[in-house]
């Protein structure tokens, strides 16, 4: 695991310098402003960003209105799982979570990039929930969902954000699954294509993924 932790942190660090993620002397106000004002290099902020950053920075916030994906009539599945982590909500399996295959719907309605990113974000969050709850069944479910993704989807079908990269890296380290290693390596490569390094948001995802691997 140590090799992948180092790789993920080394890739993420350039984009995170000067932020509270690396500067642990940052005050609570500085952290709050960073979370509130966070945008990627293109000025984008996704509905999941706030919850991810609160988890990453160890902030337990006051309840906030649920963020929804543009055009969605309900909260996105991944936003729901990340909110469970960010708000320390007691774990109850959501009605939409499937018992086999992908965690969320496999209908892939709409753009395949959005569906893939949402699914992998769900896997990423559920892995952390499983660790928090000490629930090996949730970890097994994540591994099964990741295996389904490897069979059904190419790693470049997402939006180049490396969600759940640690799950694939874990499969390589624990099971010596070469396909999982190649999947993780492709995800790491893809998030560097535009800037020659991970964008700011991808760097946050990588940093959290490295932290999860460190817990192994």
């Amino acid at each position: 695991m140590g090799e992948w932790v180092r790789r993920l942190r080394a890739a993420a660090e350039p984009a995170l310098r000067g932020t509270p993620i690396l500067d642990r002397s940052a005050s609570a106000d500085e952290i709050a402003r960073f979370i509130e004002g966070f945008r990627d290099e293109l000025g984008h902020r996704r509905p999941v960003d706030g919850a991810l950053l609160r988890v990453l920075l160890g902030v337990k916030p006051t309840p906030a209105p649920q963020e929804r994906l543009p055009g969605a009539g309900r909260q996105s599945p991944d936003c729901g799982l990340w909110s469970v982590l960010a708000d320390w909500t007691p774990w109850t399996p959501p009605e939409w979570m499937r018992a086999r295959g992908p965690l969320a719907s496999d209908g892939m309605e709409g753009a395949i990039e959005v569906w893939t990113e949402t699914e992998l974000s769900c896997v990423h969050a559920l892995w952390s929930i499983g660790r928090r709850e000490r629930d090996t069944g949730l970890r097994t479910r994540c591994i099964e969902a990741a295996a389904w993704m490897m069979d059904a989807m190419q790693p470049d079908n997402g939006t180049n954000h490396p969600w759940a990269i640690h799950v694939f890296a874990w499969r390589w380290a624990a099971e010596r699954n070469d396909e999982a290693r190649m999947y993780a390596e492709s995800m790491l490569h893809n998030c560097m294509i535009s800037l020659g390094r991970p964008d700011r948001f991808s760097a946050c995802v990588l940093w959290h993924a490295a932290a999860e691997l460190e817990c192994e």
Side-chain angles (χ1 to χ4, degrees):
M1 304 294 177
E3 176 188 351
W4 270 97
V5 171
R6 290 188 292 273
R7 288 182 69 178
L8 299 185
R9 291 213 185 280
E13 185 175 359
L16 300 178
R17 288 176 188 148
T19 73
I21 295 171
L22 297 186
D23 179 11
R24 289 302 181 175
S25 67
S27 67
D29 286 344
E30 289 172 330
I31 291 172
R33 287 195 298 271
F34 171 73
I35 293 173
E36 181 65 25
F38 182 85
R39 301 291 187 276
D40 66 18
E41 286 82 352
L42 296 178
H44 297 157
R45 180 182 177 91
R46 293 140 292 271
V48 75
D49 288 17
L52 168 64
L53 292 171
R54 294 196 301 269
V55 172
L56 191 55
L57 289 161
V59 176
K60 188 174 182 180
T62 55
Q66 291 181 344
E67 294 181 279
R68 298 175 185 271
L69 290 175
R74 60 180 175 80
Q75 187 182 28
S76 171
D78 62 324
C79 288
L81 293 183
W82 279 102
S83 293
V84 168
L85 285 169
D87 299 330
W88 279 87
T89 305
W91 169 246
T92 301
E95 292 182 1
W96 54 259
M97 199 168 90
R98 297 159 53 93
R100 293 181 178 83
L103 295 179
S105 168
D106 63 355
M108 292 181 274
E109 299 175 357
I112 191 173
E113 295 85 0
V114 174
W115 182 89
T116 304
E117 176 146 344
T118 299
E119 173 66 20
L120 288 172
S121 179
C122 284
V123 174
H124 192 133
L126 190 66
W127 184 274
S128 298
I129 292 170
R131 178 179 56 77
R132 186 191 78 179
E133 300 290 323
R134 300 181 180 178
D135 187 333
T136 58
L138 292 182
R139 169 172 290 196
T140 298
R141 184 67 187 90
C142 288
I143 294 169
E144 292 171 350
W148 185 92
M149 292 296 292
M150 288 191 298
D151 288 339
M153 307 293 291
Q154 295 297 319
D156 57 357
N157 280 333
T159 54
N160 295 336
H161 296 144
W163 288 115
I165 188 172
H166 58 296
V167 179
F168 300 98
W170 181 91
R171 289 200 69 193
W172 158 246
E175 303 172 359
R176 284 299 184 259
N177 184 305
D178 283 319
E179 186 180 358
R181 174 184 57 79
M182 290 187 288
Y183 209 92
E185 289 176 345
S186 294
M187 295 174 81
L188 185 59
H189 171 75
N190 291 344
C191 76
M192 299 183 183
I193 290 176
S194 296
L195 301 175
R197 59 163 175 78
D199 63 273
R200 190 175 299 123
F201 177 73
S202 291
C204 292
V205 173
L206 290 172
W207 201 262
H208 186 265
E212 285 296 322
L213 285 178
E214 280 185 320
C215 293
E216 296 300 322

